[in-house]
Amino acid sequence: MKDEVSTKQSFDYDDLAICFVEALGGRSNCISADACITRLRVELNDIHSINKDEISQLGYEHVTIAGNHNVQILVGTNAQFIADAMNDILM
């Protein structure tokens, strides 16, 4: 899926959600996703499974580790749409 996606402007929320889940260690590592205005907040089982290079390749450079199980990624005002799509995948 990621090979079909080159920039953050060229795909829909479902594709982006799949890419984020993969970059964050897969479905088994992602517990839930939420949004706060411009940040995607994701609770993880293992914070060390994050692939920041993959996230960067998607066009998102600002990744913040927030505690032992949480990461925040600055994604812009579409954060809630991305979080919703991620939660659909994680169900």
Side-chain angles (χ1 to χ4, degrees):
M1 177 80 49
K2 286 183 284 185
D3 294 337
E4 300 170 12
V5 179
S6 59
T7 65
K8 61 184 173 183
Q9 290 84 19
S10 68
F11 50 91
D12 66 24
Y13 300 121
D14 293 332
D15 290 339
L16 184 55
I18 291 167
C19 292
F20 271 124
V21 168
E22 290 174 358
L24 294 170
R27 285 183 66 190
S28 63
N29 195 46
C30 297
I31 298 170
S32 65
D34 196 7
C36 178
I37 305 175
T38 60
R39 293 177 186 262
L40 178 64
R41 296 177 173 181
V42 185
E43 184 180 2
L44 304 171
N45 287 311
D46 179 10
I47 202 77
H48 302 291
S49 295
I50 296 171
N51 187 329
K52 287 185 180 180
D53 290 335
E54 281 188 40
I55 296 169
S56 180
Q57 289 173 1
L58 294 172
Y60 301 97
E61 300 291 330
H62 297 92
V63 178
T64 303
I65 306 301
N68 293 328
H69 296 281
N70 296 289
V71 63
Q72 295 183 12
I73 305 166
L74 184 62
V75 297
T77 56
N78 295 320
Q80 187 63 57
F81 300 114
I82 299 167
D84 289 345
M86 287 181 70
N87 284 322
D88 287 345
I89 293 167
L90 300 175
M91 291 182 145

